[in-house]
Amino acid sequence: MDRRAFLRTAVPTAAVGLAGCIGGGTPSDYDVGMGAKVFRPETIEVSAGTTVTWLNTNKQGHSVTAYESGLPDGADYFASGGFDSEEAARDAWGNSSGGTMFEGDTFEHTFEVPGEYPYFCIPHETGGMVGTVVVTGESATPTEAATTTTN
């Protein structure tokens, strides 16, 4: 086998084999992980009443910040750092990196109102680090509230 043919088959196989080794935590510890400039998964679907946990699985600092104007009517605002608005979260980040999640840090939010919840990472927003939580109208059972499903 020539070198190029070998690399075409070996490199993708090695990347798949290492995929589970990249980043910290196990999928049972969190619902959404954070890469260099990405949320994994980018979109997650859960039932109303489910608590979603984000884990910074990357060495870079990140945030979880809701796009306030995109939230369903009656939904609670959410942002790492506990801010009450998108403006407060952006101001805190700009002034003191408030709301930063360092490697291994988690953030949780319980979604009660059905609809789509767009969110982003403040320092990596321009790089496309955005995500969406889709909340269905079905109420979560006690088991679902403790363990969510990812897509």
Side-chain angles (χ1 to χ4, degrees):
M1 176 182 293
D2 72 49
R3 180 174 174 232
R4 288 189 179 138
F6 173 78
L7 290 174
R8 275 195 302 272
T9 58
V11 171
T13 303
V16 169
L18 290 173
C21 300
I22 299 171
T26 60
S28 62
D29 296 339
Y30 63 95
D31 303 296
V32 181
M34 299 173 182
K37 291 185 181 172
V38 65
F39 290 106
R40 292 187 190 111
E42 185 176 308
T43 301
I44 182 172
E45 185 174 317
V46 299
S47 300
T50 299
T51 298
V52 174
T53 301
W54 286 263
L55 171 69
N56 186 351
T57 55
N58 187 261
K59 293 188 185 304
Q60 296 180 2
H62 293 292
S63 75
V64 174
T65 311
Y67 282 112
E68 193 166 8
S69 64
L71 298 180
D73 289 341
D76 291 335
Y77 183 77
F78 63 98
S80 53
F83 302 103
D84 293 331
S85 69
E86 182 179 341
E87 181 180 3
R90 287 184 185 274
D91 287 346
W93 180 269
N95 293 330
S96 64
S97 297
T100 301
M101 294 174 59
F102 297 100
E103 184 176 19
D105 287 348
T106 61
F107 170 73
E108 294 182 345
H109 181 74
T110 302
F111 293 88
E112 302 290 351
V113 178
E116 291 192 11
Y117 292 75
Y119 65 93
F120 64 101
C121 171
I122 293 173
H124 302 112
E125 177 183 22
T126 59
M129 190 168 178
V130 296
T132 305
V133 176
V134 178
V135 180
T136 64
E138 304 163 7
S139 294
T141 64
T143 303
E144 286 175 329
T147 57
T148 59
T149 58
T150 59
N151 291 345

